[in-house]
Amino acid sequence: FPYTTLFRSLANKGFSILASLTYTTIAFLGYPLGSALSILVVEEVDRRLLIIISAFAMATFGVALGSATSPFFIGTLGILYTLVSNIFSNAFHVFQGEIFPTAIRARAAGSAYGLSRLSSAAMPFILLPVLNKHGAGVMFAIVAGAMLIVIFDIGLFAPRTTGRKLDDIAA
């Protein structure tokens, strides 16, 4: 979740530094809630479906957060976004371990994770100029667009893994 960009988008909307930090901190409450909920759902719900649903929820909550001006909605949407992004991340990491063949699993999952960290590091350099020039709505729409790409990619190309043996998935 682009917390730097959330903080900046709130500041651009006229919120004080203290209020922006407060709302960003409130959004962090979604992390333990998302982790707790992940314990319940990652093994029970098809991981492909869980990734798709959580990516869609991230897109929806992100766009709503980008246009929110009420402190209640900013806090609520921030928590919801963080919660579903944590479920997404947990389901995706389990999924990564399942879709790669055993012989290259560590290298492939590590490479995918490393690339995701590099893209996360690059995001502020892409999103902050968009935020400054076009506003929070456009910035969060770009993030939502990325989530839609994930939805189509996983939905169309990823194998079903939940409840299947790794050898069957690899075949």
Side-chain angles (χ1 to χ4, degrees):
F1 180 64
Y3 289 106
T4 304
T5 53
L6 173 60
F7 175 79
R8 289 288 303 259
S9 72
L10 293 170
N12 284 0
K13 289 181 182 181
F15 288 94
S16 70
I17 291 174
L18 180 59
S20 297
L21 284 172
T22 300
Y23 299 137
T24 303
T25 302
I26 288 170
F28 274 69
L29 293 174
Y31 279 124
L33 297 173
S35 290
L37 191 55
S38 290
I39 292 168
L40 301 173
V41 298
V42 168
E43 292 298 329
E44 299 299 323
V45 177
D46 178 69
R47 280 180 275 290
R48 267 186 350 161
L49 181 61
L50 189 57
I51 291 167
I52 289 168
I53 290 170
S54 58
F56 180 78
M58 287 168 62
T60 303
F61 294 143
V63 169
L65 181 59
S67 63
T69 56
S70 156
F72 173 78
F73 286 116
I74 291 169
T76 301
L77 291 166
I79 290 170
L80 289 172
Y81 184 94
T82 306
L83 185 148
V84 297
S85 73
N86 205 23
I87 293 171
F88 172 88
S89 179
N90 292 335
F92 200 77
H93 283 95
V94 171
F95 188 70
Q96 280 180 335
E98 296 171 330
I99 61 173
F100 296 116
T102 304
I104 63 164
R105 184 169 295 132
R107 189 173 338 115
S111 297
Y113 185 76
L115 288 172
S116 77
R117 297 300 87 206
L118 285 174
S119 66
S120 293
M123 280 301 110
F125 298 104
I126 297 167
L127 294 177
L128 287 177
V130 170
L131 171 65
N132 291 333
K133 187 171 183 175
H134 302 289
V138 172
M139 180 196 68
F140 279 103
I142 290 171
V143 175
M147 291 297 100
L148 292 176
I149 292 169
V150 169
I151 289 168
F152 288 113
D153 183 43
I154 296 294
L156 294 174
F157 302 112
R160 185 182 64 78
T161 62
T162 306
R164 295 179 64 200
K165 293 180 182 177
L166 292 178
D167 292 336
D168 295 340
I169 297 166

